[in-house]
Amino acid sequence: MITQITFYLFATILVLCAGMVVSARNPVHAVLFLILGFFNAAGLFLIAGAEFLAMILVIVYVGAVAVLFLFVVMMLDVNFNQLREGLQRYAPVGAAIGVALLAELIFTVGRLKLVPGVQEPTLPGPQISNTEALGRLIYTDYVLLFQACGLVLLVAMIGAIVLTLRDRPSARRQNISLQHARLPADTMEMMQLEVGAGTDALGGFIRPRDGYGATAEPIDARALPARRSDEKLGA
Amino acid sequence: MEQFFFHTVAGLVVLTVLECLAILVPLLMAVAYLVYGERKVLGAIQLRKGPNTVGPFGLFQTFADAIKMLTKETVIPSGANRALYLLAPFLTFVLAMIAWAVIPTNNGWAIANINVGVLYLFAVSSLGVYGILIAGWASNSKYAFLGGLRSAAQMVSYEVSLGLVIVSILLVVGSLNLNDIILAQRHVWFCLPMLPMFVIFFISALAETNRAPFDLPEGESELVAGFFVEYSSLAFGLFFLGEYMNMILMSAMTSILFLGGWLAPFNIAPFTWVPGPIWLILKILFVLFMFIWVRATFPRYRYDQLMRLGWKVFLPFSLVWMVLTAGFLMATGMLPVGSANGVG
């Protein structure tokens, strides 16, 4: 009785949230409704006794994926009315995906088999926690498919990195090992000045010979008139 | 009486509510005295006295501050998204509380001793970012927004290594149940064989709770107060409570995963006389002291240094350590296979 009430509660909120994700005017609200939807899906998993899947759903989708969604949506200046103009054009694609998902759902729920001879996985007994049951299934019968999923994700990850990796020469990067390897002799020069003579007697200021990725040769101070102390004072 | 409490739905509900109160009321008191303790410890480290005026030794300082805060006006910025602006502090506060449902305080003592306790804790701690992100966005203020964005990137980054550390613990234990994890440390606490993971977990916990030296989301010197710059009165108080409760939660998590939870340090007479909850509290206090100690000692990280540490140091290291742990267990035949409900 209580289980049924909670099921219909979660299911109703889930469907409402799914509707709001599509129809919400504010993109940030849409993402927040998506998150609420995830929570309700996790609740449904819990009712079905799949506590491992419920927690993983919350950790992966709510804790990581949706955070990045929200992150991007908050920063983008999305004009939703503009997006709606393309609705007519993209509707067939969306409908096709929807039909494919619906077909998958019907196959699963109706236990229809397209390939003959495939055995249904045997359900483990109640003495095994569903974390372990899932682990046994994934790492034995379906290990190849599981590894293939991992490879697909790896390719997606490498793709994302390649797309966003730009070598900007203007970026100032910190090289910590270079900083640690720096010696006083590389950066400082001790000078003996006569009293009242000023640095010009020694040929002006000499800048560090080897800065962070700067030119290795010493810079002639006289080539940089703006840095000379007397001219600065005069100006 | 027993019939009512243990065999009827209403009785079980009453019992659970009482259990929740038994955890939450001491927890809120603990927050009050954590704030006081933090100020005292910081004072001692910086050769000051700390709060010493309100009540004996300044013991009522936090309550005076709380009363002052509650009597302030609640300000909602005119450009703010009202619903989300008010939702954010409640979210932070609630998330900091619900995690305590699975924390075992003695052998089998938890409001919910569930099979996936570690995952539950990890899930709740990974949700904490929403309170901050929503607060930052809904405030409609530049500083708050920058704080929120920083926080999102920071918490997502450090969660990855936090997760890998937890996975290497789970490899050793062979169960996701928190009670089993503690029982697996009967002979040796995990902080010894897994010392590098302990260090990584502690530092990642600092980053997850936005504590110094990783308090960039609030960064007073650059973002004024970061994500909660627009909040005042009760809403601010809820953020404040949530932050300190998260600190205690992370300390409890560290104690359970690495310091043996409610176990006594040695399984011999004078130590075993002390009940389990006391040991857990002592361990939590020790970790909390380290949190405060770190705050008093280290300067704030720069943002790129923070990201470098998370992705280029902690992530590869914890990944390699996880593979090493699995390899070692496999080679020595100690991999806990087939023990679904506890360690062999």
Side-chain angles (χ1 to χ4, degrees):
Chain A
M1 178 63 187
I2 292 180
T3 319
Q4 277 166 346
I5 293 174
T6 35
F7 171 79
Y8 283 113
L9 187 72
F10 281 139
T12 317
I13 301 178
L14 180 55
V15 172
L16 286 181
C17 281
M20 289 304 286
V21 172
V22 187
S23 59
R25 291 198 158 268
N26 190 331
V28 173
H29 289 179
V31 177
L32 290 174
F33 276 116
L34 183 69
I35 293 164
L36 189 58
F38 283 143
F39 268 114
N40 286 288
L44 290 179
F45 272 132
L46 275 182
I47 291 176
E51 73 256 17
F52 181 75
L53 282 181
M55 288 304 149
I56 291 295
L57 183 72
V58 173
I59 292 173
V60 175
Y61 281 93
V62 184
V65 175
V67 172
L68 298 180
F69 263 26
L70 203 60
F71 192 95
V72 172
V73 165
M74 279 177 178
M75 287 211 286
L76 286 181
D77 191 17
V78 188
N79 186 351
F80 250 44
N81 291 330
Q82 221 169 32
L83 279 181
R84 273 173 218 278
E85 285 171 11
L87 191 67
Q88 296 279 321
R89 210 144 46 94
Y90 296 120
V93 183
I97 295 173
V99 168
L101 285 175
L102 187 69
E104 283 176 21
L105 209 64
I106 291 172
F107 276 122
T108 316
V109 173
R111 294 176 182 271
L112 297 177
K113 279 185 191 168
L114 289 184
V115 186
V118 177
Q119 284 183 348
E120 280 202 19
T122 45
L123 290 174
Q127 75 280 0
I128 292 180
S129 71
N130 67 51
T131 314
E132 199 181 343
L134 205 64
R136 283 187 182 176
L137 216 57
I138 285 179
Y139 286 98
T140 52
D141 295 353
Y142 298 104
V143 67
L144 273 179
L145 291 173
F146 185 59
Q147 296 288 332
C149 286
L151 276 180
V152 170
L153 286 177
L154 182 69
V155 170
M157 193 173 84
I158 294 174
I161 293 173
V162 169
L163 281 178
T164 52
L165 186 72
R166 273 176 301 167
D167 193 26
R168 285 173 303 168
S170 61
R172 286 152 60 95
R173 289 211 181 78
Q174 187 182 25
N175 188 340
I176 290 183
S177 53
L178 200 70
Q179 288 180 343
H180 285 165
R182 224 160 69 125
L183 296 171
D186 298 336
T187 50
M188 278 196 306
E189 191 164 359
M190 300 301 289
M191 291 173 149
Q192 285 291 331
L193 290 182
E194 281 176 45
V195 176
T199 48
D200 277 352
L202 288 172
F205 279 121
I206 298 175
R207 298 173 77 203
R209 268 176 282 180
D210 193 12
Y212 304 106
T215 49
E217 292 149 27
I219 295 164
D220 186 5
R222 262 164 286 214
L224 302 161
R227 290 205 166 251
R228 285 176 62 169
S229 51
D230 48 9
E231 280 184 22
K232 248 183 193 170
L233 281 175
Chain B
M1 199 65 179
E2 193 200 328
Q3 177 68 30
F4 170 72
F5 275 130
F6 291 101
H7 299 286
T8 60
V9 174
L12 281 176
V13 168
V14 171
L15 209 61
T16 313
V17 169
L18 287 178
E19 278 173 354
C20 293
L21 287 179
I23 287 269
L24 294 179
V25 172
L27 193 63
L28 287 170
M29 291 301 288
V31 169
Y33 281 99
L34 175 59
V35 176
Y36 169 78
E38 175 171 28
R39 293 176 65 179
K40 274 289 188 194
V41 171
L42 281 181
I45 291 175
Q46 296 163 356
L47 302 180
R48 299 182 282 113
K49 276 187 173 167
N52 64 350
T53 312
V54 188
F57 308 106
L59 276 171
F60 302 142
Q61 179 68 50
T62 320
F63 299 102
D65 288 347
I67 291 167
K68 188 203 84 174
M69 195 191 293
L70 291 183
T71 49
K72 296 264 174 180
E73 183 191 355
T74 305
V75 181
I76 298 178
S78 52
N81 188 319
R82 280 183 78 94
L84 289 180
Y85 180 83
L86 292 174
L87 174 76
F90 280 98
L91 196 66
T92 308
F93 184 62
V94 169
L95 283 174
M97 283 195 298
I98 58 170
W100 284 87
V102 294
I103 301 282
T105 48
N106 206 347
N107 198 354
W109 285 18
I111 296 177
N113 189 6
I114 56 175
N115 271 336
V116 287
V118 179
L119 288 182
Y120 176 81
L121 273 186
F122 190 57
V124 172
S125 78
S126 68
L127 294 182
V129 65
Y130 281 108
I132 296 175
L133 203 53
I134 292 174
W137 183 77
S139 299
N140 199 14
S141 145
K142 288 188 190 73
Y143 292 124
F145 188 53
L146 279 174
L149 289 186
R150 276 186 182 188
S151 157
Q154 170 180 338
M155 288 171 98
V156 168
S157 310
Y158 278 82
E159 239 167 57
V160 182
S161 48
L162 213 58
L164 285 173
V165 172
I166 291 177
V167 168
S168 34
I169 298 265
L170 298 181
L171 277 173
V172 180
V173 178
S175 165
L176 295 166
N177 185 309
L178 288 170
N179 212 39
D180 290 346
I181 290 176
I182 294 174
L183 284 175
Q185 304 179 55
R186 268 167 310 186
H187 306 299
V188 58
W189 293 354
F190 286 149
C191 65
L192 291 178
M194 296 248 199
L195 186 64
M197 292 287 102
F198 177 51
V199 174
I200 287 183
F201 189 87
F202 179 71
I203 298 174
S204 302
L206 287 176
E208 277 286 295
T209 47
N210 296 326
R211 287 286 299 179
F214 305 112
D215 55 348
L216 290 142
E218 12 194 311
E220 298 91 344
S221 49
E222 39 197 302
L223 294 183
V224 194
F227 61 91
F228 55 67
V229 66
E230 302 291 345
Y231 284 88
S232 64
S233 184
L234 184 65
F236 173 78
L238 287 178
F239 269 124
F240 197 77
L241 279 175
E243 192 184 324
Y244 276 83
M245 270 157 106
N246 266 329
M247 255 172 83
I248 304 179
L249 176 73
M250 274 297 174
S251 308
M253 225 167 137
T254 316
S255 316
I256 287 168
L257 292 178
F258 290 99
L259 300 174
W262 38 260
L263 286 172
F266 301 101
N267 201 10
I268 45 175
F271 294 106
T272 47
W273 290 342
V274 181
I278 305 284
W279 282 121
L280 182 65
I281 290 171
L282 284 178
K283 285 166 189 172
I284 290 177
L285 286 180
F286 170 71
V287 182
L288 282 174
F289 177 75
M290 294 221 295
F291 269 72
I292 299 167
W293 192 5
V294 165
R295 175 179 170 182
T297 311
F298 293 106
R300 182 178 298 141
Y301 262 58
R302 216 173 51 210
Y303 194 69
D304 61 319
Q305 292 171 330
L306 174 97
M307 285 296 161
R308 180 182 167 275
L309 186 71
W311 289 106
K312 294 191 179 173
V313 180
F314 283 180
L315 180 63
F317 190 86
S318 48
L319 200 59
V320 167
W321 188 271
M322 190 190 81
V323 174
L324 279 180
T325 311
F328 178 79
L329 291 172
M330 198 71 200
T332 54
M334 294 201 296
L335 204 64
V337 181
S339 56
N341 303 311
V343 207

